[in-house]
Amino acid sequence: MKRTFFSLFMAAMMVFSFTSCEEEEILATGIKLDQSELSLEVEASVALEATLEPAGAIGDIEWSSSDPSVAAVNDGVVTGLSLGSATIVATTGAFSATCEVEVTPKEIDPNNLPTSLRGSDYYLIHLDETSAGFIDGKIAHDFRPDDTNKFLYVWENTFSAGNPTGLNSYGLAEGWISLVVGNVGWSGAGFFVGTGYGAIDMTNLFNNPDDYVFHIAVKSAQENTSYALIFNDGTAEARVVIGDVAIENVEPYLNFDRDNEWHEIEIPVSYLQQLGVFYNDSFTDVNVMAMLAGGVAGTTVDMDAMFFYKKAE
């Protein structure tokens, strides 16, 4: 009988012990983050650490961003997506903690430049000043508009100005060409170099066509749109269509994803020679490049980093 009583007593004590452990769980009465302010570059990520209060408290933590297009958060890891500010919130039950995030432009490492900035013998049509600084000393001709001898002309008001917000194709907070097609049934614009600029000598392209390409970055979210790039060497012109539909009976050379992200395209100079543009002599007073975007009102044209260059070996 004594053994039975002792066994029952021990069993009751074990049940009491387990019940006491369960009752000792500590619920959270607050939450804090290891950082209340954070600055990071576009495409960079930083992990935030959330701590429940008091020590040893339990509870689920939910993460959110006031603007996921600027800064996204996944289980505490914050990633910069575009320039701007956002508030990251960590929540447990009725309690929350915040971190103010500022997303800044991505810096280009001069020792690790993008491929298109590692070449030589550049002929610029459009390029931001920061990127141009990386190739200083390698620029043979600079056709970028200055409204003195070099211009970007919109033909007969067929384009209006777009809204170039965000980062350019190199991830920098510098502008690009953004145009919107009007409602007159056609569109056109040209980068014109006048006689005041002097002679345009691009004969290196003629002599070494396999070494040179034309580079351009484009982006769009619109399907069934194309851009025609028109190249002129003072004697003849060549049209290259980028997109998914023909323009003026010229079929597309290639297409690109319509995800509103930048896509780099390079057109070999040897291909332009097949179309009859050779750059075999100096010229002036011409549109070194022009563009068409069809006649559908509202079609956007977002282009960046337009230049000829000799690719690095």
Side-chain angles (χ1 to χ4, degrees):
M1 178 65 88
K2 291 182 178 180
R3 289 181 183 175
T4 302
F5 175 77
F6 180 77
S7 299
L8 291 173
F9 175 77
M10 291 301 296
M13 289 298 294
M14 291 177 67
V15 170
F16 176 78
S17 176
F18 286 132
T19 302
S20 298
C21 288
E22 291 178 1
E23 292 176 350
E24 289 177 0
E25 289 183 348
I26 303 173
L27 298 179
T29 59
I31 184 173
K32 64 179 181 179
L33 293 175
D34 61 335
Q35 299 186 69
S36 60
E37 295 181 349
L38 177 63
S39 178
L40 73 163
E41 296 180 3
V42 171
E43 298 181 358
S45 295
V46 173
L48 292 176
E49 181 178 347
T51 304
L52 298 181
E53 298 175 323
I58 62 171
D60 295 328
I61 300 175
E62 296 183 357
W63 297 87
S64 63
S65 170
S66 64
D67 192 343
S69 68
V70 172
V73 61
N74 181 19
D75 197 24
V77 178
V78 182
T79 302
L81 299 179
S82 63
L83 297 182
S85 302
T87 302
I88 302 300
V89 183
T91 303
T92 183
F95 309 100
S96 63
T98 61
C99 178
E100 301 299 326
V101 176
E102 183 73 21
V103 181
T104 60
K106 178 181 177 182
E107 292 187 7
I108 296 179
D109 181 357
N111 297 314
N112 187 28
L113 293 174
T115 301
S116 57
L117 297 179
R118 298 180 194 172
S120 60
D121 205 26
Y122 285 82
Y123 302 78
L124 304 184
I125 295 174
H126 172 80
L127 186 64
D128 66 82
E129 289 296 333
T130 299
S131 299
F134 289 121
I135 57 173
D136 187 38
K138 299 180 181 180
I139 301 172
H141 282 280
D142 190 345
F143 306 131
R144 293 178 296 174
D146 60 8
D147 293 331
T148 301
N149 296 308
K150 302 169 292 182
F151 307 86
L152 172 57
Y153 284 130
V154 172
W155 302 339
E156 299 182 26
N157 297 316
T158 54
F159 282 117
S160 61
N163 185 28
T165 58
L167 304 179
N168 68 14
S169 63
Y170 290 123
L172 301 172
E174 299 191 38
W176 63 85
I177 302 298
S178 182
L179 301 172
V180 181
V181 176
N183 58 6
V184 298
W186 70 287
S187 59
F191 291 88
F192 179 77
V193 179
T195 55
Y197 175 84
I200 301 170
D201 184 354
M202 298 175 65
T203 52
N204 283 346
L205 280 66
F206 171 72
N207 295 326
N208 305 281
D210 294 331
D211 296 336
Y212 288 84
V213 297
F214 175 77
H215 178 278
I216 184 172
V218 297
K219 70 173 181 174
S220 177
Q222 299 172 322
E223 300 291 343
N224 301 317
T225 56
S226 291
Y227 316 129
L229 308 180
I230 306 173
F231 302 93
N232 197 314
D233 66 358
T235 302
E237 70 175 33
R239 299 191 176 200
V240 180
V241 173
I242 299 171
D244 49 10
V245 294
I247 290 184
E248 296 184 356
N249 298 318
V250 178
E251 293 298 322
Y253 171 72
L254 51 75
N255 197 5
F256 61 96
D257 292 337
R258 304 315 171 92
D259 53 8
N260 210 31
E261 300 290 337
W262 287 110
H263 297 277
E264 292 184 304
I265 294 170
E266 295 196 331
I267 303 169
V269 168
S270 57
Y271 179 70
L272 297 182
Q273 290 192 352
Q274 293 176 32
L275 299 178
V277 169
F278 295 98
Y279 301 106
N280 58 321
D281 203 355
S282 297
F283 59 97
T284 190
D285 200 35
V286 71
N287 286 310
V288 292
M289 194 196 83
M291 52 190 153
L292 308 175
V296 178
T299 298
T300 58
V301 179
D302 288 302
M303 299 181 173
D304 187 37
M306 295 178 278
F307 48 80
F308 291 93
Y309 78 110
K310 183 178 181 181
K311 299 193 72 170
E313 296 182 359

